[in-house]
Amino acid sequence: MSEHLAAVPFGETGTLPPFADWATFPFTGDLRVKPFETPVLPEPPRAGAGGVDCEACDKPDEDFLWSDDHWRVGSTREPSGLPAVLFLFPREHYDLVDLPPALAASYGPMIQRVERAYLSLGGIGRVHQNKWGDGAEHLHLWFFGRPAGMLQFRGSFLTMWDDVLPPIPTDQWRDNLHRIAASLAEGGGTAYA
Ligand SMILES: [Zn+2]
């Protein structure tokens, strides 16, 4: 644990950071920071640790939008506020830190392909990627597209706006996924959506 955190008495709360006043912050009103919890060490294993009972490994290709020999692209199970939320997975069970060199070399081009496929929908201001991996061990990169012109949704709070906004109509969402899968398949691989 870093020294500056060790100096914080657990159970106390911090003050709100400046971003609480930013135009892009989704919330207003009387907000308070939660009490800091004590560290948990060693940390509990993540879902699918070691490739055992790993959802990303176990799902058939047909449950994804698109796949090829090395990569698979999926989405959330239900529509959310943004046009689509996508995930890029290696087919085999790796985290980023242990991705073999050949797969690591194709990771960048795959990120570019998924971003281009998302942008092919039109009306997208920006596509953001996030790799957290705190929940599941199998590498999965998130893609969030910001609707063009929605400057209030700029930046990292887009992930919160995705949950705050009402879900887009299911028909529109399925059409978006179909078009993204078709766009990916133009460069090879198989589309399933
Ligand atoms: Zn896995």
Side-chain angles (χ1 to χ4, degrees), residues 47-48 50-58 90-94 137-139:
V52 178
D53 294 329
C54 175
E55 186 180 332
C57 282
D58 294 345
R91 176 179 290 279
E92 304 295 331
H93 188 91
Y94 295 110
E137 185 178 88
H138 193 128
L139 172 61

Side-chain angles (χ1 to χ4, degrees), residues 115-139:
E115 173 155 332
R116 283 179 174 159
Y118 203 135
L119 289 171
S120 77
L121 294 178
I124 304 298
R126 199 86 58 209
V127 179
H128 302 304
Q129 296 90 39
N130 293 284
K131 185 198 82 70
W132 288 294
D134 276 338
E137 185 178 88
H138 193 128
L139 172 61

Side-chain angles (χ1 to χ4, degrees), residues 88-126:
L88 172 63
F89 303 87
R91 176 179 290 279
E92 304 295 331
H93 188 91
Y94 295 110
D95 201 348
L96 180 60
V97 73
D98 54 22
L99 209 56
L103 263 187
S106 63
Y107 187 46
M110 272 310 308
I111 294 171
Q112 192 179 44
R113 279 180 72 181
V114 177
E115 173 155 332
R116 283 179 174 159
Y118 203 135
L119 289 171
S120 77
L121 294 178
I124 304 298
R126 199 86 58 209

Side-chain angles (χ1 to χ4, degrees), residues 2-177:
S2 63
E3 287 184 13
H4 86 284
L5 269 182
V8 176
F10 289 101
E12 291 203 359
T13 60
T15 55
L16 285 177
F19 67 63
D21 292 324
W22 292 1
T24 55
F25 188 60
F27 308 104
T28 187
D30 182 22
L31 295 168
R32 286 179 297 164
V33 177
K34 288 182 176 178
F36 302 121
E37 297 176 356
T38 53
V40 176
L41 293 170
E43 295 192 9
R46 296 175 290 170
V52 178
D53 294 329
C54 175
E55 186 180 332
C57 282
D58 294 345
K59 282 201 299 188
D61 278 13
E62 292 73 22
D63 285 5
F64 292 82
L65 304 181
W66 169 93
S67 73
D68 70 4
D69 289 344
H70 306 292
W71 299 97
R72 302 200 283 188
V73 175
S75 77
T76 52
R77 292 184 180 85
E78 304 289 337
S80 56
L82 299 176
V85 175
L86 307 177
F87 304 96
L88 172 63
F89 303 87
R91 176 179 290 279
E92 304 295 331
H93 188 91
Y94 295 110
D95 201 348
L96 180 60
V97 73
D98 54 22
L99 209 56
L103 263 187
S106 63
Y107 187 46
M110 272 310 308
I111 294 171
Q112 192 179 44
R113 279 180 72 181
V114 177
E115 173 155 332
R116 283 179 174 159
Y118 203 135
L119 289 171
S120 77
L121 294 178
I124 304 298
R126 199 86 58 209
V127 179
H128 302 304
Q129 296 90 39
N130 293 284
K131 185 198 82 70
W132 288 294
D134 276 338
E137 185 178 88
H138 193 128
L139 172 61
H140 53 291
L141 187 68
W142 299 65
F143 293 76
F144 299 87
R146 178 175 59 75
M150 296 306 296
L151 301 185
Q152 189 180 10
F153 303 161
R154 286 179 299 182
S156 58
F157 299 126
L158 184 68
T159 60
M160 294 185 189
W161 283 110
D162 181 47
D163 287 331
V164 169
L165 295 168
I168 66 170
T170 300
D171 288 352
Q172 184 183 338
W173 177 68
R174 292 193 191 285
D175 185 58
N176 288 346
L177 298 183

